[in-house]
Amino acid sequence: MTPVQLAPSILSADFAALGEAIGMAERGGADIIHVDVMDGHFVPNITVGPPVVRSLAKVATRPLDVHLMIERPEQHVAAFVEAGAAMVSVHVEVSPHLHRTLHYVRSLGAKAGAVLNPSTPISTLEEVAGDVDYVLVMSVNPGFGGQAFIPSSLDKIRRLRALLDRAGNQAPIEVDGGVDTTNVAALVEAGARILVAGHAIFGQADPVAAARALAAAARAAESALTGR
Ligand code: DX5
Ligand code: ZN
């Protein structure tokens, strides 16, 4: 079984102190740093681009996971990989040539992820189930941190795990939106292996302690599953 990994999202951190935010995430047990890129078109919000990722890559000691919430993601993938992204995910809703884009990301040396909005069915991945290095299931509508977890995401993760397994792909499922200590166990049990959390870490008075609490909850859920 793929081990559960914690991926703090710096979206809810102080953007004037992103280096410190990464330090806190790493001290809190982050395995991956999740970076949300928004363009004001695909989603209503605007965040950061490749220059910021390049600076983050200089301070992070964990892989950068760049979640592209932008139109025409394929036009920007190379710039993000060059800037230091180890993982790049694109939304299926804006990727008519998803197969080509996934293989393009891989050809640049990064892990390729496909992202599903809450309203996008897992069937959109049927034909590329063997071409993904991970799948990101949005458990909120993308655009903002601090939104409430959509409970039907649990069943979606379960069905997606089955779809990937049928394709013989052990690619991990990442979940993003409203993840906190109250739903971590259910998410791990459903099959999520990369847990993104923004508000539950950086919206707390002590982000390091909050990240540690999430990592501990994830580890406990994992032990309950494996019996170890
Ligand atoms: C939302 C972003 C998320 C966001 C999650 O559009 O993709 O990564 O930071 O934040 P929380 O954990 O606060 O829901
Ligand atoms: Zn995200």
Side-chain angles (χ1 to χ4, degrees):
M1 193 178 80
T2 321
V4 178
Q5 296 187 299
L6 181 64
S9 159
I10 55 171
L11 183 64
S12 291
D14 175 0
F15 270 40
L18 289 178
E20 280 88 340
I22 288 183
M24 288 192 282
E26 293 185 348
R27 286 199 300 284
D31 299 289
I32 291 169
I33 303 294
H34 186 86
V35 182
D36 290 300
V37 174
M38 306 185 186
D39 67 353
H41 293 278
F42 176 58
V43 291
N45 205 357
I46 300 179
T47 56
V48 300
V52 173
V53 171
R54 190 180 305 281
S55 295
L56 298 178
K58 288 188 191 137
V59 298
T61 66
R62 305 281 185 274
L64 295 183
D65 163 28
V66 173
H67 174 193
L68 295 180
M69 285 160 275
I70 62 176
E71 289 179 356
R72 300 186 178 85
E74 65 286 349
Q75 293 183 4
H76 301 277
V77 160
F80 282 102
V81 175
E82 220 167 274
M87 303 163 66
V88 177
S89 59
V90 299
H91 272 258
V92 304
E93 300 83 10
V94 283
S95 300
H97 307 292
L98 183 58
H99 180 276
R100 177 192 284 155
T101 304
L102 290 169
H103 284 274
Y104 178 51
V105 172
R106 282 179 168 180
S107 77
L108 297 169
K111 289 203 166 122
V115 196
L116 299 172
N117 272 340
S119 63
T120 304
I122 62 165
S123 58
T124 54
L125 294 179
E126 196 89 45
E127 307 303 330
V128 289
D131 303 288
V132 287
D133 294 315
Y134 61 104
V135 177
L136 172 48
V137 172
M138 288 309 302
S139 43
V140 298
N141 288 292
F144 304 96
Q147 302 181 80
F149 179 80
I150 299 173
S152 58
S153 313
L154 286 169
D155 185 55
K156 188 175 190 180
I157 290 168
R158 231 172 254 124
R159 288 181 286 111
L160 174 61
R161 184 67 266 157
L163 186 155
L164 292 170
D165 287 347
R166 278 200 300 280
N169 190 349
Q170 295 187 348
I173 296 175
E174 179 172 25
V175 61
D176 184 3
V179 174
D180 61 23
T181 48
T182 69
N183 51 33
V184 158
L187 284 165
V188 169
E189 193 272 327
R193 288 295 173 271
I194 303 173
L195 306 170
V196 177
H199 181 75
I201 295 174
F202 294 108
Q204 310 305 308
D206 185 345
V208 176
R212 284 187 184 149
L214 274 172
R219 268 196 307 275
E222 195 175 13
S223 315
L225 275 185
T226 59
R228 270 181 281 140

